[in-house]
């Protein structure tokens, strides 16, 4: 069992993208496009491995987080201020949207097996379940005793992940169609938002900050880089396989549309039969609450690093950041929007904001003053430029698609 000692931040990164957003977006991809968008997931997995390796290398060699390095390396006060505002905007908007998706995912699970609860405030109708989930996440974060509960939730998410892989085998999919979907990129105007959502749900921008900070706590020597690379590669590839399994499972039932957890559950009916709805409900609830805890914490780490705060996790300023993100998530989640659309919007927002964070990371890992001989090689730079170019293109095209539909 010595391999367990090497299990670290890479598993957390993988667990972060197996949440309500991944289940929802991958189900939508399978229902609406069958296997045609599997190539987008393959691209996302490769991009995730390459970018997270850069973040891990930065954390181990520099023994600093990404936000601390950006703050230290930008000398011009004007450029530093602009960069702080840009990163704040990306993290606050991205994490608030992501938090709304997490809370909505948990609510989607609850309402599959319990009645909807809402109340009226003036002209607004608020979803009471969103407020309850937000209150649970707030309490767990404030008290700081969420670790044991988090392990239980992660266990449920892992069980849900294994279930999708088994289901993908049970439905006996068309293997030739899967290979075609993996290696022949096809999409249309209708599919571009789903493509960017698949990227956004796999390569989560805040994970680049979180990973760089966490590896520095676990590994202290340059020699540990080999272990970190192996751990994150296996974890992300396994997470990607789960995402693909969800697409394959969702493509089998030939659903006309997906609007509820009961629809999401149809992909698991070959394995769980009439209990599939209960199973997906518990899985979404667990994934939603787990992610509702980690997303605000990640935002607080970023802000602390960018502003150079010295206080610990119990400081008022640190708590104010995660509380603000959590409150924004509750507000966005509780308004009268379709739950599936809120979750998809969160992933699209992350996909659009990804190039901003990736460019900052790319710049830092090329600085000799930060990484010395461990800075990016020519091959790593080539792969980084390709990934950033593709994400910028997809983000621009998705924005254009949205503007065209207005």
């Amino acid at each position: 069992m010595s391999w367990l000692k090497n299990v670290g931040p890479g598993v957390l990164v993988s667990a972060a993208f197996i949440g309500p957003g991944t289940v929802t977006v991958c189900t939508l991809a399978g229902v609406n496009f069958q296997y045609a968008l599997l190539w987008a997931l393959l691209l996302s997995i490769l991009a995730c491995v390459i970018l997270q390796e850069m973040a891990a290398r930065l954390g181990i060699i520099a023994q600093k987080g990404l936000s601390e390095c950006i703050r230290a390396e930008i000398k011009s006060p004007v450029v530093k201020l602009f960069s702080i505002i840009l990163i704040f905007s990306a993290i606050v908007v991205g994490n608030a949207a992501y938090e709304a998706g997490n809370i909505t995912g948990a609510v989607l699970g609850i309402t599959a097996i319990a009645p909807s609860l809402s109340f009226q405030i003036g002209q607004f109708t608020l979803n009471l379940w969103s407020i309850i989930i937000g209150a649970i996440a707030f309490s767990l974060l404030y008290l700081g005793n969420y670790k044991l509960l988090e392990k239980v939730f992660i266990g449920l998410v892992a069980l849900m992940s294994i279930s999708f892989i088994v289901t993908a085998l049970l439905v006996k999919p068309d293997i030739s169609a899967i290979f075609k979907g993996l290696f022949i990129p096809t999409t249309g105007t209708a599919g571009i938002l789903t493509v960017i959502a698949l990227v956004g749900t796999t390569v989560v921008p805040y994970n680049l900050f979180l990973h760089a900070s966490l590896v520095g706590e676990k590994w202290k020597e340059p020699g540990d880089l080999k272990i970190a690379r192996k751990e994150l590669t296996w974890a992300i590839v396994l997470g990607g396989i789960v995402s693909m399994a969800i697409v394959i499972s969702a493509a089998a039932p030939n659903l006309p549309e997906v609007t509820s957890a009961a629809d999401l559950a149809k992909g698991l009916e070959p394995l769980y039969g009439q209990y599939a709805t209960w199973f997906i409900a518990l899985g979404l609830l667990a994934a939603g609450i787990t992610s509702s805890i980690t997303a605000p914490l990640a935002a607080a780490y970023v802000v602390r690093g960018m502003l150079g705060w010295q206080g610990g996790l119990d400081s008022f300023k640190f708590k104010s950041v995660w509380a603000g993100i959590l409150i924004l998530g509750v507000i966005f989640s509780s308004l009268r929007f379709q739950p599936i659309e809120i979750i998809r919007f969160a992933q699209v927002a992350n996909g659009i904001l990804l190039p901003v964070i990736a460019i900052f990371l790319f710049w830092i890992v090329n600085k000799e003053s930060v990484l010395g001989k461990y800075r990016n090689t020519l091959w790593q730079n080539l792969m980084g430029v390709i990934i950033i170019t593709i994400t910028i293109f997809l983000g621009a095209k998705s924005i254009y698609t949205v503007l065209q539909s207005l």
Side-chain angles (χ1 to χ4, degrees):
M1 298 292 285
S2 60
W3 62 273
L4 281 171
K5 295 178 181 178
N6 296 328
V7 172
V11 172
L12 293 178
V13 169
S14 180
F17 68 75
I18 303 298
T22 296
V23 175
T24 302
V25 170
C26 290
T27 299
L28 289 171
V31 168
N32 297 328
F33 304 99
Q34 299 292 291
Y35 311 121
L37 298 185
L38 283 173
W39 65 269
L41 271 177
L42 182 61
L43 170 68
S44 301
I45 294 162
L46 292 173
C48 192
V49 170
I50 291 166
L51 292 176
Q52 294 294 163
E53 187 279 334
M54 292 182 190
R57 182 158 30 97
L58 175 66
I60 292 173
I61 303 303
Q63 286 292 297
K64 293 180 181 177
L66 176 56
S67 54
E68 288 95 332
C69 288
I70 293 170
R71 184 174 182 274
E73 290 301 312
I74 299 176
K75 307 303 180 185
S76 167
V78 175
V79 176
K80 182 177 289 189
L81 179 62
F82 175 76
S83 300
I84 289 174
I85 292 171
L86 190 61
I87 291 173
F88 274 15
S89 300
I91 291 299
V92 170
V93 172
N95 275 40
Y98 206 74
E99 187 68 355
N102 294 332
I103 293 170
T104 302
V107 172
L108 201 62
I110 291 175
T111 52
I113 54 178
S116 297
L117 297 176
S118 61
F119 65 94
Q120 197 84 18
I121 298 181
Q123 295 182 338
F124 294 98
T125 301
L126 299 181
N127 188 323
L128 187 58
W129 282 120
S130 295
I131 297 171
I132 292 171
I133 295 295
I136 292 170
F138 184 93
S139 300
L140 292 171
L141 281 168
Y142 189 82
L143 296 172
N145 60 355
Y146 55 87
K147 291 295 183 182
L148 178 61
L149 209 55
E150 193 174 41
K151 288 178 182 177
V152 175
F153 289 145
I154 289 174
L156 286 171
V157 175
L159 180 59
M160 183 172 67
S161 301
I162 295 168
S163 299
F164 275 113
I165 293 174
V166 173
T167 303
L169 297 173
L170 288 178
V171 296
K172 298 178 181 178
D174 185 337
I175 302 299
S176 62
I178 289 175
F179 275 97
K180 184 180 177 182
L182 277 171
F183 300 109
I184 303 177
T186 57
T187 185
T189 303
I192 191 64
L193 289 179
T194 305
V195 170
I196 197 70
L198 288 169
V199 173
T201 196
T202 307
V203 196
V204 183
Y206 76 70
N207 271 343
L208 297 174
F209 289 94
L210 197 59
H211 200 186
S213 296
L214 293 177
V215 291
E217 295 176 7
K218 185 173 180 65
W219 292 297
K220 303 294 183 182
E221 302 296 329
D224 295 326
L225 192 55
K226 183 178 180 181
I227 298 170
R229 283 170 172 160
K230 185 182 293 185
E231 189 254 353
L232 76 87
T233 300
W234 275 106
I236 292 169
V237 168
L238 286 173
I241 290 171
V242 173
S243 299
M244 291 182 183
I246 296 171
V247 173
I248 293 167
S249 300
N254 293 315
L255 295 174
E257 60 178 347
V258 176
T259 58
S260 67
D263 294 331
L264 295 175
K266 291 192 186 309
L268 288 175
E269 282 184 358
L271 183 61
Y272 291 106
Q274 63 179 330
Y275 299 106
T277 299
W278 275 87
F279 187 84
I280 200 75
L282 291 173
L284 285 173
L285 177 61
I289 293 180
T290 304
S291 301
S292 295
I293 293 169
T294 56
L297 273 180
Y301 274 117
V302 173
V303 173
R304 187 180 71 164
M306 286 300 298
L307 295 182
W309 291 345
Q310 298 302 316
L313 307 188
D314 291 329
S315 70
F316 176 77
K317 291 185 289 187
F318 189 87
K319 288 181 176 179
S320 296
V321 175
W322 62 247
I325 295 294
L326 186 54
I327 290 168
L328 284 174
V330 170
I331 292 170
F332 293 151
S333 173
S334 65
L335 297 177
R336 296 187 68 181
F337 295 110
Q338 282 289 338
I340 299 295
E341 289 307 310
I342 293 176
I343 295 171
R344 189 171 76 143
F345 169 77
Q347 314 314 313
V348 172
N350 269 314
I352 292 172
L353 293 169
L354 174 63
V356 176
I357 306 303
I359 288 169
F360 275 106
L361 173 65
F362 187 69
W363 172 64
I364 286 291
V365 294
N366 271 290
K367 292 189 73 67
E368 189 174 2
S369 59
V370 178
L371 290 180
K373 67 178 183 178
Y374 292 97
R375 68 186 186 277
N376 267 15
T377 63
L378 178 62
W379 170 250
Q380 287 168 328
N381 276 335
L382 178 62
M383 296 304 295
V385 168
I386 291 172
I387 290 167
I388 290 171
T389 302
I390 291 172
T391 55
I392 290 173
F393 169 75
L394 289 174
K397 193 170 181 182
S398 63
I399 292 171
Y400 176 77
T401 301
V402 170
L403 292 176
Q404 288 289 97
S405 65
L406 296 177

